[in-house]
Each structure stands twice: as C-alpha cells, then as structure tokens.
Amino acid sequence: MDHSAPFAPWDKTASRFLHWYLVVRLLVITLFLGGTIVNQLRSAGADFRVLGWLYLLAALCLIQSLTFLFLFRRSQHQSSLLRWQICWDLLFATALIFLAGGIVSHLSFLYIFIIFSVSIFLSRREVFVAASAAAILYGGLLDLQYYAVLPVVSAFPTNLASSREIFYDIFINVIVFYLIAFLSSLLAERLRHSELALKKREIDFEELENLNQIILENIPSGLIIINNAGRIRSFNAGAATITGYALEVIYNRPIAELFPDMIVLDGKNFKTIARGETRLIDKQGGQRPVGFSSSMVRDVSGETLGLLVTFQDLSRLKEMESQLKRADRLAAVGQLAAGMAHEIRNPLASISGSVQLLMEGEKLEQDDRRLMGIVVREAERLNALLTDFLVFARPSPPCLEPVDVAELLDELVFMIAADERFKDIELQRDYTGAMEWYCDRDQLRQALWNLLVNGAEAMEHGGRLTCGLDSEVPAVFIEDTGPGIPDAIRDKVFDPFFTTKDSGTGLGLATVHSIVEAHQGRLDLIKAEGGGERFVICMPDPAVVKLGRAV
C-alpha cells in the first residue's frame, strides 16, 4: 500500500469520518478509564499505586489526544498520524487491561473497537496487522502474568487461572480478533464502494446540471418560466438577447409587458400552445414578430411549477418571406409586362414614323405641325419608358469585373454636383478606404445613381445625402434625411410602377432591386437614425475581392 496516500483509496469519504472517530475514541477512553478508576476507588482494598498509574495513564491519554487532534488539523500526512494513533490505542488498551486485572479483566473487547476503527480508515492488510498485534499483546500479557513476570492487579480477590483456562481465553479472543478483522474489513470495503459509487453519481449529476445550464444559456431561443400569477420567474440568455432585458430587470414582472397579445392563463390554469405567433415589445419599445410555444413545467412528483414559454425572433424570417413574395410578384409582373412592351413598341414605332413623314409635308399648317411634334415627343418618352421597363424586366446578365466601389462613388458625386436636382442637397462621403467588388460596373453605377436620385427627390426642401461604405458587412449605402417612407408602403417601394411622385415612373427602385438580385446580393431598406431612409446594397462574399486599400 502506498503510505504517502492520505488513507485508503476512498480518502475523500474517509476524511469526514475522522472527526467522529476522534470524538468517539475520546468518549470511549473516558468511559472505560473513568470506570476503572471509580471501580478502584470504591473497592475495599484499593491500591493507591494502581490509582496512581491510572491517573498517569489518564493524563497521558489526554495529552496524546489533544496533541494528535492538533496535528491532524495541521499536518498533510494524516495517514501516518492515524497509524501512530492506532499503535498508541493498542498499547493503551493493553495497559488498561493490565491495570484492570489482566487475566481476570473483562476489557479485552477494547481491542475489537481498535480493529474496527482500523477497518474504517486503512486497508484490509493493515486490519489483519492490527488484529495480530492485539492478539500478541493480549496473549503476551496473560502469559507474563501466568508465569508471574507481571503481577495480577485487581481490586477483588482472585484465584490464579490454570494454563488450560488461560490458553482457552487467549484462543477465544484471538479467534474473535481475526473474525472481527475479517468482517469489519469486508463491511468497510462495501461501504467504500458504496461511497465511491454515490460520489460518482453525485459528480455525474453535477456535470449534467452544469451541461443543462450551459445548453440553456447558449441556445438562441428565448426561454421564460412564469408562475400562476403570470409573472416572470426565469429568463435565459437567449431571451435577454431578443428582448433586450436582463433577468434582474424583468424578474417578477407580468409577461404581458413583453407579449401583450399572448394568453398564458385560462382562468386559474395555464394555457399551453403547441405553436403560435404574437408580437414582442422590446426594451427600446419596438415591436417585432415572434413565434412561441408553451408547455407545463413539473417536478419529479408531478406537481406543476409553472409555464415554460419558448420563443424565437421571426423578424428576419418575415423579412425573407416578404422578399421571396416580392421576388415572385416581380417575376410574374415582369414576364407579363415584357411581352406587352414589345407589342406596344411595334405600333408605337409605326405611329412615330408616320407622324414624322407627315411633318415633312410643305402644306402642313403650323398648328398641325406643333401637334405632330407633341405626338413625336410623347412617343419618344413612351419608348424610353418601355426601354427602362425592359431593362428592369429582363436585365442583361452581369459582366463581372473588379470594381473599386469607392472610386465609383467619387465619380457619381462629381457627376451630381452639376445636376440641377441636387442643387439644394448637401453631399457627404462616409468612407476613407477602398472596397473592391467583383460585379458589373455599369449596372452597379446605374443602381447607385437611381438611389442617389431617389434620395434627392425625397428631400424637396433640401437636406443631406450620404454615400458610404461599411467594410464590416461589407456593403455600400445611400442615406437621406428626408421624411422617410411610411410603414404602410415600405413593402411596396420595390414594386414596378409604384410611386408616390407626380412625375415618377415607379421603375427606379424596382430596377435597383432587379440589378442587385442579378448579382445574388441583398438590398435592405433601413430607417436612418436622424430620420429619412438608408438603402444598403450587400454583395455575396465571393464578390468582395479586396478590403482596406488606401484611397
């Protein structure tokens, strides 16, 4: 056995028995040593020499107990101290048996207590060593008294036992010592295995609890537990991220503050919902759609503890759903209108050509010539409109090439400086480095131009127009400080022919959306912080070739 180890292989459980062992040991010593002293004092022929030895033994036991108690608390080698403690106890028991009469003493069972204590803390081999030491000490004491080497100390008259009786006494006690050693070590080992198994289960349960806690804190879905009063009692990290509230802020507040339309109680009973949708009011006061489900929370006895509400933010999903619906709608409208545009363009060209031929006549009145000029101009305007619509409905495949977006923005800013539509507009650039995309330069230029014109027309009385780059996304954005787009029509602004302007065609933003989709990118419409709108064009990762080049 490795004596450097603290006790047996189950030291983590044995250490908690050590305190009780020291306390019980002191009580047993006090009880039997005190009983022996009292017995000597009350006997008619009390031997004061024996009492003196008993008092000395008591003093030594007290000093030894206090010393070892101090050492047990301070020392790192408790196993060695415990072995010295066992040796002292064996000698103490032998001395007490001698002073109590030796051959005629009935205190030989003290060895049993010592053997049993060894089995609790030490290995089976050491238990049998202790039993052997007890047998040797007890047998040696009786032999020495039988051969008159040691006197028989007794407060009562005694007759010297025969050799047969002494041998029988030694034989019986030795058998008992070894039997106790075998049984106690067997029971102690079973206790150790049980303790280790229990400890392992406790560790497993602790690991499982920690794992469950980690899972709850890391899942993106929000988890809320409410009591039968409809108040929040638990709130995971996912719920805090979605709502913006921390647990200490939202704890014990009504669930209706977050989900005003959610019904969680049906009278006094909880209402469970397999799947539903409602609106969330977050910390900033904004509303967003969420999907949720609710289920009962019960303990191991089946008692209801509360209602568990699991929810997810559907904002992005709803946005993607809206984009898909818009894409389907635009595709259907584009296919239908493209065919109609060709059918309109052919007779329109005939009308324009015929009128131009009539205008070449010499006998044509001036008023008629002016009216025919109006017909030709309107035919040309209508033809330009059809051209724009065909570009929207059937955009040509992008001709991909490396494009410096910052340089393209510089070019557009230079162009709009001479445009009358931008005379009351303050132009601002929000980029310092270059961003290179792999895209169609002409189409991206057309998309950015349309967004700049749209922003300028939205600010009838002037304002600030910002064009910038976001290298983290990466994206390019155009932001205005106009009145913004009402919520009621935000999902329609990219529809063809939808416009709120008196002279608009409704194809500017629709064309931008079509160009971005042709590049497999994304066009987002975001409310600007200072009012107005921000249009953000994001390209897929393969289109972003280079970032951070100095201008």
Side-chain angles (χ1 to χ4, degrees):
M1 179 179 178
D2 184 8
H3 295 286
S4 64
F7 299 110
W10 59 304
D11 57 299
K12 292 184 179 179
T13 56
S15 59
R16 67 187 179 90
F17 288 114
L18 183 58
H19 173 75
W20 291 106
Y21 163 70
L22 295 175
V23 173
V24 172
R25 173 185 173 277
L26 188 59
L27 291 176
V28 171
I29 290 175
T30 303
L31 177 64
F32 288 101
L33 187 57
T36 304
I37 293 174
V38 171
N39 183 54
Q40 285 287 339
L41 289 173
R42 297 185 63 179
S43 62
D47 189 342
F48 289 99
R49 290 179 303 171
V50 174
L51 284 173
W53 285 108
L54 288 173
Y55 290 143
L56 178 61
L57 187 61
L60 290 175
C61 284
L62 179 60
I63 295 173
Q64 183 272 336
S65 298
L66 294 176
T67 303
F68 270 65
L69 181 61
F70 175 79
L71 293 176
F72 271 122
R73 292 182 175 179
R74 297 295 182 90
S75 177
Q76 299 294 326
H77 305 284
Q78 294 182 340
S79 59
S80 299
L81 288 174
L82 184 62
R83 292 183 179 91
W84 282 107
Q85 176 79 65
I86 297 300
C87 293
W88 168 265
D89 288 345
L90 288 170
L91 294 176
F92 166 78
T94 305
L96 186 59
I97 293 171
F98 168 70
L99 294 175
I103 295 175
V104 297
S105 175
H106 300 290
L107 298 180
S108 60
F109 62 85
L110 290 175
Y111 291 115
I112 296 177
F113 288 115
I114 299 171
I115 295 170
F116 183 76
S117 64
V118 174
S119 68
I120 295 177
F121 298 100
L122 302 177
S123 65
R124 176 180 291 187
R125 181 174 65 86
E126 290 176 297
V127 176
F128 280 97
V129 169
S132 301
I136 293 171
L137 289 173
Y138 183 69
L141 174 63
L142 266 59
D143 284 343
L144 290 174
Q145 286 185 328
Y146 176 76
Y147 291 107
V149 177
L150 291 175
V152 177
V153 180
S154 177
F156 303 97
T158 58
N159 296 320
L160 186 63
S162 64
S163 60
R164 181 179 178 182
E165 291 174 340
I166 292 176
F167 176 77
Y168 181 75
D169 190 5
I170 294 174
F171 175 77
I172 291 298
N173 279 279
V174 169
I175 293 298
V176 170
F177 293 162
Y178 281 106
L179 185 61
I180 292 297
F182 174 74
L183 294 176
S184 61
S185 62
L186 183 64
L187 292 175
E189 283 190 359
R190 296 194 65 177
L191 176 62
R192 293 168 191 171
H193 290 307
S194 299
E195 290 279 349
L196 289 172
L198 180 60
K199 192 70 176 178
K200 185 177 180 181
R201 289 188 62 186
E202 289 177 356
I203 294 174
D204 291 342
F205 283 130
E206 184 177 353
E207 289 180 353
L208 182 60
E209 183 178 355
N210 291 336
L211 181 60
N212 288 337
Q213 187 66 29
I214 291 172
I215 293 173
L216 290 177
E217 291 301 321
N218 286 278
I219 59 175
S221 299
L223 298 177
I224 297 178
I225 296 179
I226 61 174
N227 60 13
N228 54 8
R231 294 184 174 271
I232 298 171
R233 310 300 290 180
S234 183
F235 208 69
N236 77 329
T241 301
I242 297 173
T243 63
Y245 289 101
L247 175 59
E248 55 269 18
V249 176
I250 202 67
Y251 182 79
N252 207 38
R253 289 169 63 175
I255 189 70
E257 291 188 12
L258 294 178
F259 307 100
D261 301 330
M262 182 187 294
I263 300 176
V264 296
L265 294 173
D266 186 7
K268 295 184 178 181
N269 299 321
F270 290 115
K271 184 175 182 180
T272 60
I273 299 175
R275 188 65 188 171
E277 290 188 14
T278 186
R279 61 189 176 97
L280 163 70
I281 300 179
D282 58 24
K283 188 176 182 180
Q284 290 72 32
Q287 297 187 16
R288 62 179 71 181
V290 293
F292 74 96
S293 62
S294 58
S295 58
M296 307 292 286
V297 179
R298 295 184 172 88
D299 58 15
V300 293
S301 62
E303 184 178 353
T304 301
L305 300 178
L307 185 71
L308 173 65
V309 178
T310 306
F311 63 97
Q312 303 84 29
D313 186 359
L314 300 182
S315 300
R316 184 59 183 164
L317 183 62
K318 292 292 185 181
E319 182 181 348
M320 292 174 62
E321 183 181 348
S322 176
Q323 290 176 354
L324 289 174
K325 289 181 178 179
R326 181 170 62 243
D328 291 340
R329 184 170 63 251
L330 294 180
V333 172
Q335 290 178 359
L336 176 63
M340 294 179 61
H342 283 293
E343 296 299 326
I344 296 174
R345 206 170 199 179
N346 292 332
L348 186 63
S350 300
I351 294 173
S352 178
S354 300
V355 171
Q356 288 178 2
L357 288 175
L358 291 175
M359 291 177 64
E360 293 177 358
E362 297 179 357
K363 298 181 180 181
L364 192 63
E365 297 290 338
Q366 188 64 30
D367 290 341
D368 294 336
R369 188 179 298 277
R370 182 174 59 82
L371 291 175
M372 289 181 181
I374 293 174
V375 172
V376 171
R377 287 196 303 273
E378 290 300 318
E380 290 176 351
R381 190 179 68 84
L382 185 57
N383 185 62
L385 177 62
L386 290 173
T387 300
D388 291 341
F389 182 74
L390 288 174
V391 170
F392 156 74
R394 292 181 178 177
S396 58
C399 182
L400 303 180
E401 59 179 331
V403 176
D404 189 338
V405 184
E407 182 182 327
L408 183 59
L409 287 175
D410 290 338
E411 179 184 326
L412 290 171
V413 170
F414 179 76
M415 287 177 57
I416 63 179
D419 195 308
E420 282 292 320
R421 290 173 292 186
F422 295 87
K423 63 179 181 178
D424 296 326
I425 304 299
E426 176 191 351
L427 298 175
Q428 182 175 332
R429 306 184 198 187
D430 188 9
Y431 54 92
T432 56
M435 179 185 295
E436 197 166 86
W437 282 0
Y438 200 60
C439 60
D440 189 307
R441 178 183 178 86
D442 292 336
Q443 291 189 7
L444 180 60
R445 182 179 180 279
Q446 180 66 48
L448 293 175
W449 175 260
N450 287 1
L451 292 177
L452 288 168
V453 171
N454 180 79
E457 291 178 347
M459 298 181 288
E460 297 180 358
H461 305 291
R464 185 176 65 255
L465 194 61
T466 304
C467 50
L469 299 175
D470 187 348
S471 59
E472 294 182 1
V473 176
V476 57
F477 64 87
I478 305 297
E479 181 179 314
D480 63 70
T481 57
I485 299 174
D487 293 337
I489 62 172
R490 292 182 71 84
D491 59 342
K492 300 179 181 178
V493 294
F494 299 117
D495 291 354
F497 304 115
F498 178 83
T499 181
T500 58
K501 305 168 188 174
D502 295 336
S503 59
T505 62
L507 288 176
L509 294 180
T511 301
V512 175
H513 187 275
S514 178
I515 291 173
V516 174
E517 276 199 335
H519 284 79
Q520 299 181 355
R522 191 177 77 248
L523 177 61
D524 294 329
L525 175 60
I526 305 172
K527 285 186 177 294
E529 293 182 0
E533 299 292 342
R534 171 180 285 204
F535 290 88
V536 183
I537 298 177
C538 303
M539 289 295 179
D541 290 341
V544 183
V545 179
K546 194 184 304 177
L547 291 174
R549 180 172 58 82
V551 177

